[in-house]
Amino acid sequence: MLKDVDKTSLFCEYYKLWVDVYKKDAIRDATMAKYLMTQKWLERLVPDLKISELTRTSYQQLLNEYAKEHERQTTLDFHHQLKGAILDAVDEGLIERDPTRKVIIKGKQPRPKKIKYLNQFELHTLIADLDIKEELNWDWFILLVAKTGMRFSEALAITPSDFDFARQTLSISKTWDYKGEGGFMPTKNESSVRKIQIDWQIVVKFSEIIKGLPDDKPIFVGESKIYNSTVNDILTRHCKECGISVISIHGLRHTHASLLLFAGVSIASVARRLGHASMTTTQKTYLHIIQELENKDVDLVMRTLSGL
């Protein structure tokens, strides 16, 4: 890269080149989009900053400006994406000292986020309203996600060969690139590769509906491009018709996890079923539900002790 840049080059141009050399075709499209967004923010915040002018102070000022419009976690992600390029610039002799040393991450106070999910009665009402025909449609898709808690891209990638009806399991080992050109892609992380138990209703219904379909072709993907909004619109219509809370397809995943937690299923089992990288992810996502369950546990403990 030294032949293309020197100390007088603009930092935003260096970063653009660095992303093209080291990240292009090496990371997922969704991750690449984040690097490209970081590049746009550099062009907006420090369009005239030269590599030689990148000091601890100027870098901290850059982060501070970014933090004015973003939460702390987002600012931290921004910093991590820049740091890789900066450390390479230090190694290449373009910057004398690491300007990211002792950096302070700031950011706006995050807004309280409460996940949207259906209670058990609402989910029963929704499933009863689904139009499960003799041919596969998006209502079948909604049913499968509600019963398994799969991610949208995981459910799109399901093929007939992923079902093991004898053992009542469904294998999740890939995703579908619905945001790009289509085709199979790896799962979000290694923990996302998993086998989950499916109930007898799913076994009976899907064993019939997928008969005769190609084993290695996704059952919900046709010739036309698939949009997340298309399925969400169908789900929204069902929710409104039933008079229940309106949620998204991802909200069905939350619903699935929430009902399992309220039923007493352990956090470890829910984490494995959802394909979370660790139980920490599950605990953070469903913190308010876990807190409700802990409150119930306290009542149970006190009733038990008072009866001794």
Side-chain angles (χ1 to χ4, degrees):
M1 287 177 65
L2 281 173
K3 64 180 180 180
D4 300 305
V5 294
D6 57 35
K7 294 183 178 181
T8 62
S9 299
L10 295 176
F11 176 54
C12 59
E13 290 297 327
Y14 171 82
Y15 181 79
K16 181 178 181 180
L17 178 61
W18 181 85
V19 170
D20 187 63
V21 171
Y22 292 107
K23 298 300 177 182
K24 188 177 180 181
D25 300 325
I27 55 178
R28 292 164 61 99
D29 289 344
T31 307
M32 184 64 176
K34 294 178 182 178
Y35 277 92
L36 296 178
M37 183 57 68
T38 294
Q39 177 186 318
K40 289 182 179 180
W41 274 101
L42 282 182
E43 294 169 353
R44 172 180 168 180
L45 296 175
V46 287
D48 301 319
L49 181 68
K50 297 177 181 177
I51 295 178
S52 59
E53 299 170 338
L54 201 56
T55 62
R56 277 189 63 201
T57 301
S58 63
Y59 183 68
Q60 185 66 62
Q61 289 172 336
L62 166 62
L63 291 184
N64 291 350
E65 284 299 311
Y66 183 85
K68 288 180 180 179
E69 299 184 42
H70 298 87
E71 295 179 6
R72 188 180 183 280
Q73 182 58 53
T74 309
T75 305
L76 183 61
D77 294 340
F78 179 73
H79 161 62
H80 284 156
Q81 289 168 0
L82 292 177
K83 188 175 180 179
I86 291 172
L87 292 181
D88 280 349
V90 173
D91 289 343
E92 292 170 351
L94 298 173
I95 303 174
E96 292 183 5
R97 300 182 65 184
D98 177 13
T100 68
R101 189 171 55 90
K102 296 183 179 180
V103 71
I104 298 172
I105 304 298
K106 304 175 184 178
K108 296 196 301 183
Q109 190 70 20
R111 290 174 294 181
K113 296 176 182 177
K114 190 167 185 179
I115 60 174
K116 289 187 176 181
Y117 63 93
L118 303 177
N119 59 38
Q120 191 166 1
F121 171 77
E122 289 177 316
L123 183 58
H124 277 305
T125 305
L126 171 64
I127 291 176
D129 191 62
L130 295 177
D131 186 12
I132 306 299
K133 299 180 178 179
E134 293 182 1
E135 293 184 359
L136 280 169
N137 57 18
W138 288 117
D139 282 19
W140 281 90
F141 184 89
I142 291 170
L143 175 67
L144 188 62
V145 173
K147 291 273 194 171
T148 62
M150 283 187 289
R151 299 178 178 94
F152 181 71
S153 58
E154 292 174 342
L156 284 178
I158 291 299
T159 65
S161 62
D162 293 323
F163 289 94
D164 186 339
F165 296 119
R167 292 181 173 83
Q168 287 189 226
T169 62
L170 179 61
S171 296
I172 300 169
S173 59
K174 55 197 176 302
T175 61
W176 186 260
D177 182 23
Y178 69 95
K179 293 182 179 178
E181 299 301 317
F184 293 119
M185 293 179 63
T187 54
K188 186 175 183 179
N189 50 57
E190 290 183 7
S191 301
S192 295
V193 177
R194 62 202 188 276
K195 287 186 178 182
I196 57 177
Q197 292 294 131
I198 51 178
D199 66 89
W200 66 269
Q201 290 178 327
I202 290 294
V203 169
V204 171
K205 290 179 183 296
F206 276 85
S207 61
E208 288 296 320
I209 198 72
I210 66 173
K211 277 183 179 179
L213 296 179
D215 279 347
D216 59 346
K217 300 291 184 182
I219 63 178
F220 292 108
V221 177
E223 296 296 325
S224 57
K225 185 174 175 60
I226 297 168
Y227 296 95
N228 184 285
S229 58
T230 301
V231 189
N232 279 331
D233 287 345
I234 294 171
L235 178 56
T236 296
R237 175 172 54 79
H238 279 299
C239 290
K240 289 181 177 179
E241 287 175 354
C242 295
I244 61 176
S245 305
V246 174
I247 61 167
S248 64
I249 285 292
H250 196 69
L252 280 179
R253 177 171 161 86
H254 290 319
T255 298
H256 184 81
S258 302
L259 293 181
L260 293 181
L261 289 170
F262 278 122
V265 178
S266 70
I267 296 174
S269 295
V270 173
R272 282 195 297 270
R273 190 169 175 88
L274 295 181
H276 282 164
S278 69
M279 282 192 295
T280 303
T281 304
T282 314
Q283 289 170 323
K284 286 181 178 178
T285 306
Y286 302 100
L287 179 61
H288 69 286
I289 294 174
I290 293 169
Q291 287 173 339
E292 286 183 46
L293 293 172
E294 286 177 347
N295 291 337
K296 291 182 180 179
D297 286 344
V298 170
D299 293 338
L300 179 60
V301 168
M302 297 312 296
R303 285 200 304 271
T304 303
L305 292 177
S306 63
L308 293 177

